[in-house]
Amino acid sequence: MNIAAPPPATDAGQPGPDAFAPAPFAHTPYDGSRKAFSVGLAPLDLAEWIEPDVKLAATLAERAALIREKRDVVVREEDGTRQAQREVLELVVAHVTTRFPEQYRLEGRRITVAATGQSFDLDDAGEAPLVIAGQLISDDLVLLRQGAGGYRLVAAVLCFPSAWSLAEKFGQSLDQLHEAVPGYESKLARVMNRIFDNLKVEQPVWRVNWSIYPDDELHHPESKERPRHWFEDPAHLAPEAFVRVERQTLRRLPESGDMLFTIRIHVDPFLAFRRHPEGGALAASLREQILGLDADQLAYKGLTDHRDAVAAALERIAAGA
Ligand code: HEM
């Protein structure tokens, strides 16, 4: 299921005040189509590589502020990665100017984003190319390079991590990055490393995951030492909880052979289930998924103490109560 609700209309048939609000539930990986904690990669049509964002101006403003004010939290690069970063920037520019020409204007080597009016010199030698690319789109950009211990995270613009710290994970291999993921070693490691070794330039892929969050903040750079502040009051959970979905794409760069991983965040409040024509069914399937998690998976998703309250909230929504 992949549902986009039509914009709400007023009684007069005119678009309502939030007619241009983003359609909720861009992706619904909890709808029974995928298993949590699985590889779940599907072929990606490169025409859909970067998804449009109706909140682009606000998202890009937040990204620019994070890069300006918390650069060491959201940006990392190893020496020797600038060439591959440039490759990423050129791919992003070619994609957005072709796919969203009304939003991006390229004049010579200067690109302007209509939503913000901001423009960037693509050849700016004083800035990391990945950082320029990361201010054009809503997706985070992560570069991985093959080394002795497998693929390693060698550069990133990561403004909107889902409860992990770039400073902690920078330089780590796939195995180290996923150390805390339940079942990684037994079920995912071998397959994932093989995919990274063998993925061809012309075989880009994508996957989606879901989590339950207590807020709709995009920037969640929690360290393992400082876990996220969780729900204050489970009794008030229904209006306050959010479902956070990450859409991830993976492609091999044609020139460097490095891997580019992109992450785009979608957050919807539980309340959106109530307004959506298929919200009851979606809430019911999310509840099923949560109840199907084992103890380690619940702990990883931060739901050990809140599983029952979250499930009860979703049950009420599914029942229309
Ligand atoms: C074949 C591609 C990949 C697969 C199948 C995969 C799988 C997973 C899974 C199952 C999780 C647990 C949450 C979820 O359900 O998504 C996870 C978390 C994570 N993944 Fe991946 N992943 C992939 C690629 C990557 C890449 C390229 C990076 C590079 C940054 C990465 C970094 C992480 C991190 C940092 C976490 C959170 C770990 C933590 O909480 O400590 N993953 N991944």
Side-chain angles (χ1 to χ4, degrees):
M1 206 176 342
N2 193 342
I3 305 161
T10 61
D11 290 342
Q14 296 300 313
D18 58 351
F20 302 105
F25 310 121
H27 301 284
T28 54
Y30 44 82
D31 63 11
S33 59
R34 293 173 177 80
K35 255 181 77 155
F37 297 100
S38 65
V39 173
L41 289 169
L44 170 71
D45 175 357
L46 275 187
E48 310 302 326
W49 179 35
I50 305 297
E51 292 189 322
D53 183 352
V54 295
K55 290 191 289 185
L56 189 65
T59 315
L60 292 187
E62 185 173 351
R63 296 176 72 79
L66 285 165
I67 290 167
R68 206 170 46 241
E69 290 155 24
K70 297 176 79 175
R71 189 170 173 112
D72 57 333
V73 175
V74 300
V75 176
R76 291 282 152 138
E77 55 171 333
E78 269 186 14
D79 289 347
T81 60
R82 286 277 170 114
Q83 192 61 31
Q85 292 187 40
R86 178 147 299 285
E87 205 183 341
V88 174
L89 176 58
E90 299 302 337
L91 285 174
V92 168
V93 169
H95 180 86
V96 296
T97 51
T98 310
R99 199 68 177 77
F100 313 114
E102 67 296 341
Q103 189 62 263
Y104 297 90
R105 203 175 58 245
L106 186 62
E107 284 162 315
R109 295 291 292 161
R110 179 161 283 277
I111 190 165
T112 305
V113 187
T116 58
Q118 265 209 304
S119 74
F120 301 87
D121 172 6
L122 297 176
D123 295 328
D124 181 356
E127 184 52 288
L130 210 55
V131 172
I132 300 174
Q135 290 182 85
L136 298 176
I137 54 177
S138 306
D139 302 53
D140 281 319
L141 299 163
V142 182
L143 201 58
L144 293 101
R145 179 166 290 176
Q146 192 162 31
Y151 278 80
R152 286 191 318 112
L153 195 175
V154 293
V157 177
L158 187 84
C159 293
F160 305 145
S162 297
W164 59 283
S165 150
L166 179 59
E168 284 176 6
K169 303 273 192 187
F170 182 55
Q172 292 192 347
S173 67
L174 275 182
D175 290 353
Q176 292 166 326
L177 286 163
H178 292 92
E179 208 168 25
V181 175
Y184 174 75
E185 227 184 289
S186 59
K187 295 202 201 92
L188 302 175
R190 207 171 45 85
V191 182
M192 273 172 58
N193 279 290
R194 212 173 48 215
I195 289 166
F196 270 73
D197 286 342
N198 297 322
L199 197 75
K200 297 200 170 27
V201 171
E202 60 280 9
Q203 290 176 324
V205 289
W206 70 294
R207 70 187 287 272
V208 254
N209 68 22
W210 61 266
S211 312
I212 308 297
Y213 271 58
D215 58 49
D216 59 356
E217 294 291 317
L218 294 172
H219 181 60
H220 264 287
E222 284 86 8
S223 140
K224 286 292 167 230
E225 277 71 52
R226 286 180 292 105
R228 64 180 159 234
H229 185 58
W230 211 235
F231 301 106
E232 287 287 279
D233 182 358
H236 298 295
L237 197 61
E240 287 170 16
F242 296 80
V243 55
R244 179 180 178 110
V245 165
E246 283 182 87
R247 173 186 183 266
Q248 307 169 339
T249 77
L250 185 66
R251 64 186 290 188
R252 187 178 302 282
L253 299 176
E255 288 168 27
S256 60
D258 291 342
M259 293 291 253
L260 175 63
F261 186 60
T262 70
I263 309 164
R264 170 74 184 281
I265 305 298
H266 297 270
V267 188
D268 288 301
F270 275 19
L271 280 176
F273 286 124
R274 293 193 186 274
R275 297 194 204 113
H276 195 282
E278 301 201 37
L282 287 173
S285 55
L286 178 56
R287 176 176 171 274
E288 286 295 303
Q289 293 266 320
I290 290 169
L291 294 179
L293 298 176
D294 67 27
D296 290 343
Q297 294 170 337
L298 278 174
Y300 181 83
K301 289 206 185 275
L303 287 171
T304 306
D305 296 336
H306 303 287
R307 181 192 70 172
D308 294 345
V310 174
L314 290 168
E315 191 172 21
R316 283 195 297 278
I317 293 169

